Amino acid sequence: MYTFIGGLILLVVGYFTYGKFVEKMFGVKEDRTTPAYVNSDDVDYVPMSTKKNALIQLLNIAGVGPIFGPIMGALYGPVAFIWIVFGAIFAGAVHDYLTGMISIRNRGAHLPELAGKFLGKVMKHVVNVFAVLLLLLVGTVFVSSPATLLYNLMDGWMAMGAILAAIFIYYILATLLPIDKIIGRFYPFFGALLIISAVGILVQLVLTGAPIPELTLKNMHPDDLPIFPLLFLTISCGALSGFHATQTPIISRTTQSEKQGRKIFYGMMIAEGAIAMIWAAAAMSLFNGYDGLNDMLANGGPAGIVSEASTLLLGSIGGTLAILGVIILPITSGDTAFRSARMIIADYFNLSQKKIMSRLWIALPLFVLSFALTKIDFTLLWRYFSWANQSTAAIALWVGAMYLFIAKKNYWIAIIPAIFITMATMTYIINAPIGFGLSLNAAYVGATIITIVIIVLFFIAAKKNRANNLPLEVDVSNWSSTK
């Protein structure tokens, strides 16, 4: 277990070292008033404590991604551990921290608005459509996956349609009501269940001496699928996820001080990386090798792996609690996916959200579309979600790099992971059957050319924005005298 335990230790060390470096480089302004106070509306802009914000952030970002993704990514072998650990420290946590902090300094703006400001007006419209589609896919995936787990847990006692309806009703309430009424009130209990389930699996892996494989760069996938780019799209939420860029602005609107940012944004990504490590290790060690894991995935999907692993390690009662913890994850991300989509659309059209009917007219079409998407095969949805997710991550990282370039700070912390994930997403969409279906070699060449063009365009725009002194933040200096 040296690789597994070492990876968990590195995640913790990364938070206290690289996380501190990123925070110091960004430059926290402790006395700057946050949007929670400046834009307070008792609906979306509501000041909440650091612990509550951190827990909500973790539950928002940690859907089935850091569980289902690592389970499927485990087929590639221990190389998955490398991506989870170093991806979380140097890409995912940086992505989340920059998105959250830049949003705080721009009145809690969502990614489309930030992209429009820092990457050009055209990008605002492109990213707006992209973000809403991603959130619809996320919401749909996070309806169908917990519904399947609940259906299996109850052994078919309740009809699948009834379970889907119950989840949708909860999502509607969580999307429409003020953030402190449901999300802020119930998430602490959900969080306790999540932590208990993850820690339970971790402890049992160690106590039972599970045969977790040690580090190797060899591709273990039974079908010999290429590590690049597939691993980096299969494991997204546990290492780097664009979905997080749609969630952090929710919490940027409830954060009381910029000083809380590292714990809330950087720290919770590290926690999600730990969850991903645990489930990747369980998948690699419990099913008689990679062929056995592949067969299990073919027969029961990731949900089947979760149920089987939980029962094997924790018994019937403990396994049930663990499964409930896993069910909580997608539900607590699905609700905020729809909430975020509502907020993005409202911001785009400049619609007030104080009245519940104003929120309802935006939310209802989203739920209708999502219900229609539940009829599509889950594996197909996941492929589109994975590509859209990592493409959104690339956009968010380019936004962060632009902000840092204009501020004359160390923009390489954002631009290096931005280049890497841009290359991965371009390679995938050129090669994949759901994309252009070209050969892998052609995809490598095409992705390299596209990535180089994007880099050149970035630096041209960045130098222009710096020369024009593009404002990096909204002025709140007069707030205290006018509130």
Side-chain angles (χ1 to χ4, degrees):
M1 293 189 183
Y2 295 116
T3 301
F4 172 59
I5 299 299
L8 292 175
I9 292 172
L10 279 175
L11 284 170
V12 176
V13 172
Y15 170 75
F16 287 105
T17 56
Y18 197 67
K20 187 70 175 178
F21 165 76
V22 171
E23 179 187 51
K24 184 176 181 180
M25 181 277 304
F26 185 84
V28 168
K29 300 178 181 179
E30 293 188 52
D31 297 330
R32 190 179 191 277
T33 310
T34 63
Y37 299 101
V38 178
N39 301 99
S40 179
D41 63 359
D42 296 324
V43 178
D44 297 318
Y45 294 87
V46 180
M48 293 194 294
S49 67
T50 305
K51 288 183 179 179
K52 186 172 285 190
N53 277 329
L55 193 55
I56 293 173
Q57 173 73 359
L58 176 61
L59 289 169
N60 284 357
I61 64 176
V64 288
I67 297 176
F68 283 16
I71 285 173
M72 293 186 287
L75 288 170
Y76 294 91
V79 69
F81 290 146
I82 299 175
W83 169 231
I84 292 170
V85 172
F86 290 99
I89 294 171
F90 296 106
V94 172
H95 167 283
D96 291 11
Y97 182 80
L98 290 178
T99 305
M101 295 301 290
I102 295 170
S103 176
I104 284 176
R105 292 191 177 176
N106 287 272
R107 65 174 184 79
H110 276 273
L111 183 60
E113 190 172 344
L114 295 177
K117 178 175 181 176
F118 292 104
L119 301 181
K121 292 182 179 179
V122 173
M123 286 301 295
K124 176 180 181 179
H125 307 301
V126 172
V127 177
N128 194 77
V129 174
F130 212 81
V132 172
L133 287 175
L134 171 63
L135 289 166
L136 266 177
L137 287 171
V138 168
T140 304
V141 168
F142 292 172
V143 169
S144 58
S145 53
T148 301
L149 284 167
L150 279 170
Y151 183 80
N152 293 337
L153 187 63
M154 294 187 288
D155 200 22
W157 174 75
M158 182 179 289
M160 178 63 80
I163 297 174
L164 286 171
I167 294 174
F168 267 119
I169 290 171
Y170 167 75
Y171 281 0
I172 291 170
L173 293 173
T175 300
L176 296 179
L177 294 178
I179 193 168
D180 58 340
K181 300 304 180 187
I182 288 184
I183 293 174
R185 186 167 297 174
F186 293 108
Y187 269 33
F189 301 103
F190 293 160
L193 191 57
L194 160 64
I195 293 168
I196 289 170
S197 65
V199 171
I201 297 293
L202 170 62
V203 169
Q204 284 302 107
L205 284 173
V206 175
L207 292 181
T208 58
I212 302 171
E214 298 297 350
L215 183 61
T216 175
L217 299 180
K218 185 178 179 181
N219 186 355
M220 301 295 186
H221 201 292
D223 298 326
D224 200 32
L225 297 179
I227 290 176
F228 187 89
L230 295 182
L231 174 64
F232 305 99
L233 277 82
T234 302
I235 301 179
S236 54
C237 292
L240 168 66
S241 171
F243 171 63
H244 298 187
T246 68
Q247 299 303 291
T248 49
I250 294 177
I251 304 304
S252 75
R253 299 181 179 196
T254 61
T255 302
Q256 296 171 317
S257 167
E258 286 192 7
K259 188 64 177 176
Q260 300 170 353
R262 182 163 67 98
K263 292 179 181 178
I264 296 171
F265 303 123
Y266 197 100
M268 293 306 100
M269 179 62 231
I270 295 298
E272 188 186 60
I275 294 171
M277 285 287 289
I278 292 168
W279 282 101
M284 289 182 205
S285 61
L286 298 179
F287 302 104
N288 299 315
Y290 303 105
D291 288 323
L293 174 60
N294 201 27
D295 291 340
M296 284 285 294
L297 282 168
N299 294 324
I305 297 288
V306 169
S307 299
E308 188 71 18
S310 300
T311 304
L312 278 173
L313 290 170
L314 301 173
S316 57
I317 296 176
T320 299
L321 288 174
I323 294 168
L324 286 173
V326 173
I327 290 168
I328 289 300
L329 279 173
I331 289 178
T332 54
S333 292
D335 56 7
T336 50
F338 287 112
R339 188 180 187 92
S340 181
R342 169 183 66 77
M343 293 161 68
I344 287 173
I345 293 171
D347 288 352
Y348 185 76
F349 292 104
N350 197 25
L351 301 173
S352 172
Q353 295 293 278
K354 288 188 177 182
K355 295 181 179 179
I356 193 167
M357 287 305 297
S358 300
R359 290 169 246 155
L360 185 63
W361 289 120
I362 297 175
L364 277 182
L366 294 173
F367 286 111
V368 172
L369 287 170
S370 179
F371 180 77
L373 287 172
T374 60
K375 307 302 179 183
I376 298 176
D377 178 58
F378 175 82
T379 55
L380 183 62
L381 275 177
W382 187 268
R383 289 176 199 150
Y384 279 108
F385 158 71
S386 296
W387 179 76
N389 188 39
Q390 297 303 64
S391 297
T392 304
I395 293 169
L397 283 166
W398 286 114
V399 168
M402 182 66 75
Y403 181 98
L404 295 175
F405 186 96
I406 297 169
K408 298 181 180 180
K409 296 180 182 293
N410 185 355
Y411 57 88
W412 291 107
I413 67 165
I415 205 171
I416 291 175
I419 291 170
F420 178 80
I421 203 62
T422 298
M423 181 71 183
T425 55
M426 290 298 107
T427 302
Y428 176 79
I429 202 64
I430 293 172
N431 171 249
I434 67 168
F436 296 98
L438 300 182
S439 70
L440 192 57
N441 287 334
Y444 288 146
V445 173
T448 300
I449 294 171
I450 293 171
T451 303
I452 290 173
V453 170
I454 290 173
I455 294 170
V456 171
L457 292 174
F458 169 82
F459 278 106
I460 292 172
K463 291 178 180 179
K464 181 179 178 181
N465 287 337
R466 181 190 282 180
N468 293 336
N469 293 318
L470 181 72
L472 296 174
E473 57 190 59
V474 174
D475 184 12
V476 295
S477 58
N478 294 325
W479 179 79
S480 59
S481 61
T482 58
K483 67 176 180 177

